[in-house]
Amino acid sequence: MVLPVVAGVDGSDASLRAVDWAADAAVRHEAPLRVLCATGPALGTPVPDLRENAERIRDLAVEHARKRVPSVEVTGEIVPEDAADALLSAGRNAFTLVVGSRGRGGVTGMLLGSVGLAVAGRADCPVVVVRGEPDSGTEPVVLGVQDEDAEEATGRAPGIEDTAEGRSAAEFAFREAQRRGCELIALHAWRTSGGGEPDSGGPEEGDAAEQGRARAEKVIDEAVGPARERYPDVVVRRRATAEPARQALLNAAREASLLVVGAHARHGHFGLQLGLVNHAVLHHSPCPVAVVPQA
């Protein structure tokens, strides 16, 4: 059974951009598209009015998707639940969840809406938050490679691991790059805090920089190795940098069609560990961001 790409809609322009992205992804991955609209709690609004509005939003989104990708099977659904809960439930049987960067009534600007953040932090499947302007699809996919020795306090989760389900960040990024026919940039920043330039000048600083770069390149090679073997036709560029991770990812995202990061489940807690860096890119990335659950 081919799992669907699920797009959450609420009538906002941002959610229609999510439908566009989801429709294109459905074509790339030969998957059906499911459009989901949640009515949420009534809060004093008559239920028939909520239903009628949801039907209008759903139907417009479905029609929009069918015009964009006539070859794709598109279905629409209304769920009488909170939007985040409805999407999380749908994500248990989805190829990926796709949401807009902000919903109706959200603060204008670059901030991520509460639904998108909740879904990205708790979903069982990859979540794509559609940010920025539409891309041609040929720009690189950027994979944020994380160090499994990094501490939680730095805002970075443990490293990328391959999973039996093939849903690791590396696997997701390589598959996207292959389907798009673009190259993949595997980026690792070995410095996670501070805002200055890398140290330079003295022999010790130079040696430390070389050691840091060598370790970063090793981290990249170990992270992408298994996926690289499965996708040998994907051109990979390693990018090791001493920039703070947040800034390195945001800089790389300026030339990307998609930024892919991983998130791990927190032991003893419900949901994923997004970390400070992932929060930053979700709020400020100039391109769509995929958050992929890790083992």
Side-chain angles (χ1 to χ4, degrees), residues 10-21:
D10 62 3
S12 66
D13 290 341
S15 74
L16 267 188
R17 288 194 291 274
V19 169
D20 287 342
W21 198 98

Side-chain angles (χ1 to χ4, degrees), residues 1-126:
M1 179 178 119
V2 180
L3 295 177
V5 177
V6 177
V9 296
D10 62 3
S12 66
D13 290 341
S15 74
L16 267 188
R17 288 194 291 274
V19 169
D20 287 342
W21 198 98
D24 293 344
V27 172
R28 283 195 299 271
H29 298 284
E30 300 176 346
L33 172 61
R34 178 184 173 195
V35 173
L36 188 151
C37 182
T39 58
L43 297 178
T45 303
V47 172
D49 291 349
L50 284 174
R51 179 78 186 187
E52 181 179 348
N53 187 50
E55 288 175 349
R56 180 183 59 81
I57 292 170
R58 175 202 60 190
D59 293 347
L60 286 173
V62 167
E63 181 182 5
H64 181 83
R66 286 174 176 165
K67 287 180 178 178
R68 186 177 182 90
V69 287
S71 63
V72 170
E73 176 191 347
V74 182
T75 58
E77 184 176 356
I78 297 171
V79 180
E81 295 181 48
D82 171 80
D85 291 340
L87 286 165
L88 289 169
S89 179
R92 297 188 187 107
N93 291 288
F95 174 75
T96 188
L97 291 173
V98 186
V99 297
S101 59
R102 56 184 181 274
R104 297 179 64 189
V107 177
T108 59
M110 298 300 289
L111 295 180
L112 178 65
S114 59
V115 171
L117 192 61
V119 172
R122 294 163 55 195
D124 295 325
C125 71

Side-chain angles (χ1 to χ4, degrees), residues 136-269:
S136 66
T138 59
E139 292 89 351
V141 170
V142 173
L143 169 65
V145 176
Q146 301 157 334
D147 188 349
E148 58 189 33
D149 293 328
E151 297 181 358
E152 180 176 338
T154 66
R156 291 161 61 201
I160 292 172
E161 302 171 19
D162 185 46
T163 67
E165 297 83 0
R167 298 170 85 179
S168 73
E171 182 81 17
F172 186 93
F174 269 82
R175 185 170 53 213
E176 278 293 322
Q178 183 195 57
R179 295 299 176 98
R180 291 166 180 262
C182 67
E183 68 179 9
L184 183 143
I185 297 173
L187 183 153
H188 175 63
W190 67 84
R191 206 169 103 203
T192 59
S193 61
E197 294 298 319
D199 293 332
S200 61
E204 294 182 357
E205 289 84 350
D207 289 345
E210 286 302 315
Q211 291 172 6
R213 184 173 299 279
R215 171 172 169 72
E217 291 176 350
K218 181 181 178 182
V219 168
I220 292 171
D221 289 340
E222 290 177 350
V224 306
R228 197 171 193 172
E229 290 181 4
R230 284 189 290 276
Y231 300 92
D233 54 329
V234 174
V235 176
V236 180
R237 278 198 285 149
R238 291 186 307 181
R239 185 177 295 177
T241 176
E243 286 182 293
R246 172 188 183 276
Q247 194 58 50
L249 288 169
L250 291 175
N251 286 342
R254 292 176 186 151
E255 60 177 295
S257 59
L258 179 68
L259 173 61
V260 181
V261 295
H264 280 251
R266 295 180 295 177
H267 298 296
H269 294 80

Side-chain angles (χ1 to χ4, degrees), residues 110-112 131 246 250 279-287 289:
M110 298 300 289
L111 295 180
L112 178 65
R131 302 188 53 82
R246 172 188 183 276
L250 291 175
H279 270 277
V281 298
L282 282 169
H283 282 282
H284 301 290
S285 172
C287 75
V289 179

